[in-house]
Amino acid sequence: MQLSIRNISKTYPNGVRALNDVSLTIPPGMFGLLGPNGAGKSTLMRMIATLQDPDGGSIQLGELDVLRQKDEIRKTLGYLPQEFGVYPKVSAEELLDHFALLKGIAERRARREVVEALLRQTNLWEVRKQKLGGYSGGMKQRFGVAVALLGNPKLLIVDEPTAGLDPAERVRFLNLLSEIGENSVVLLSTHIVEDVSELCTRMAIIDRGEILLEAEPLRAMNDLRGRIWRRVMSKGELPALEPEHAVLSTKLLAGRTVARVHSDAAPGPGFEAAEPDLEDVYFSAMAGRIGRRREQPEPAVTP
Ligand code: ADP
């Protein structure tokens, strides 16, 4: 099963053009939608989750038309929104049982089995009796996944799930997603480059409502090989560098500034060749140095 997004646009009533002719093909596995805040990620996620209509375009999940067959889509879809509330005074087990009932699992014994399996899968079994109000950020996110997985969705959408998690919780959460990605389409939206580099076999970079690059992370990094250079210097040297070079990013390292530069040829003294990482891919795409601003038409095929 594959998710096909074709020519989706959306302008909000206040005039903000949140999506501009977005097309994407999302195969089974983990797909990362990477972009800065305000890029249009949540808008696109809500559309795929049938919660908002685009101005134009189409979305297809396997045989289903997402924009027209909303009820069918909702049965096969799990959605973890960026923010969701839990009832703080009930336990994870009680609330999950309640949601399972709402999902239509009427028989008590069947429900108990589903709830137990999901609590075990999300590593919450030991804390199932605790009230949700006492859960940490990571536990809440995993509870959100348990809810989203009710009904065995073929498509799981997670919107910015790792923001605010501490490093250990984040790793645990990403491992959970990657297990789910073995059997379903998982669409992860994030502004954190590492989420994508650690997890996703495919990705797209979105900015200001447009897809800048659609790629496999490993291949995209490989394609940059030989074009990324780094220079360690004092902070005061940076302004002189910027007009002459395509500076992708700067970081502090032990009190020194490390600048990474995109260049087809060696940029001169003081620079050394660097192994490209996904952050280089991200900033190169954001700077318009790689990728596409708009989807290119297929080249004409002559028989
Ligand atoms: P992201 O999830 O990548 O941060 P969003 O989809 O939330 O991006 O937002 C994309 C753009 O649309 C932003 O400029 C945002 O301010 C605007 N936007 C989002 N929701 C609404 C809305 N309901 N009304 C008006 N503008 C909105």
Side-chain angles (χ1 to χ4, degrees):
M1 171 141 0
Q2 160 168 311
L3 182 68
S4 298
I5 298 166
R6 291 288 165 265
N7 309 107
I8 288 288
S9 291
K10 172 76 187 176
T11 302
Y12 282 110
N14 62 358
V16 172
R17 187 163 193 138
L19 295 173
N20 185 10
D21 201 18
V22 165
S23 295
L24 276 180
T25 302
I26 298 174
M30 291 285 316
F31 190 98
L33 183 65
L34 177 65
N37 287 332
K41 302 183 296 296
S42 293
T43 301
L44 187 59
M45 305 283 109
R46 285 197 299 269
M47 280 169 187
I48 301 165
T50 75
L51 300 173
Q52 191 173 29
D53 282 326
D55 301 331
S58 65
I59 306 177
Q60 192 87 21
L61 177 64
E63 298 293 300
L64 293 176
D65 180 332
V66 174
L67 302 176
R68 293 198 176 78
Q69 295 171 282
K70 290 187 178 157
D71 287 342
E72 284 92 331
I73 287 293
R74 283 174 193 155
K75 280 184 210 144
T76 62
L77 173 121
Y79 174 51
L80 181 65
Q82 207 170 338
E83 284 181 17
F84 61 95
V86 290
Y87 300 95
K89 294 202 174 131
V90 295
S91 72
E93 188 175 40
E94 286 166 316
L95 191 56
L96 194 56
D97 183 81
H98 175 68
F99 283 131
L101 187 61
L102 293 180
K103 251 316 201 222
I105 311 175
E107 210 238 321
R108 176 174 271 201
R109 187 203 292 256
R111 215 160 61 235
R112 198 180 298 154
E113 276 173 18
V114 167
V115 165
E116 173 168 351
L118 285 173
L119 288 172
R120 286 193 188 280
Q121 187 180 358
T122 51
N123 227 330
L124 293 171
W125 180 248
E126 304 300 323
V127 289
R128 66 190 181 280
K129 307 272 181 216
Q130 272 184 36
K131 291 193 170 40
L132 287 160
Y135 267 25
S136 70
M139 288 155 79
K140 260 186 214 142
Q141 287 298 69
R142 281 184 276 130
F143 179 73
V145 170
V147 176
L149 286 180
L150 277 169
N152 270 327
K154 298 195 179 63
L155 168 65
L156 179 68
I157 298 174
V158 278
D159 196 359
E160 295 269 2
T162 59
L165 299 192
D166 72 35
E169 282 179 333
R170 184 175 156 272
V171 168
R172 189 183 272 218
F173 186 81
L174 293 181
N175 282 335
L176 170 63
L177 284 188
S178 106
E179 281 167 28
I180 298 165
E182 286 169 16
N183 302 309
S184 336
V185 185
V186 178
L187 178 53
L188 164 78
S189 106
T190 182
H191 65 276
I192 301 169
V193 175
E194 288 80 16
D195 285 354
V196 175
S197 55
E198 287 167 24
L199 208 57
C200 299
T201 44
R202 288 197 63 84
M203 65 173 238
I205 295 174
I206 183 170
D207 185 35
R208 283 179 268 171
E210 297 194 14
I211 302 296
L212 304 182
L213 179 76
E214 192 179 351
E216 292 166 24
L218 290 176
R219 182 175 293 190
M221 288 189 276
N222 215 19
D223 287 348
L224 272 183
R225 195 158 276 159
R227 290 192 277 158
I228 301 296
W229 308 83
R230 79 197 273 275
R231 181 165 161 180
V232 185
M233 58 197 172
S234 69
K235 195 166 167 231
E237 291 173 88
L238 188 59
L241 202 70
E242 276 174 326
E244 312 243 320
H245 300 283
V247 178
L248 296 176
S249 62
T250 57
K251 261 187 204 151
L252 287 173
L253 182 69
R256 302 275 286 164
T257 295
V258 182
R260 289 174 82 90
V261 161
H262 184 280
S263 172
D264 289 341
F271 285 94
E272 56 183 355
E275 186 64 23
D277 57 27
L278 201 61
E279 220 169 72
D280 297 323
V281 172
Y282 179 61
F283 289 121
S284 297
M286 294 289 286
R289 302 190 72 86
I290 56 169
R292 52 170 158 112
R293 264 278 149 195
R294 298 175 65 81
E295 186 148 76
Q296 301 295 318
E298 296 280 325
V301 181
T302 39

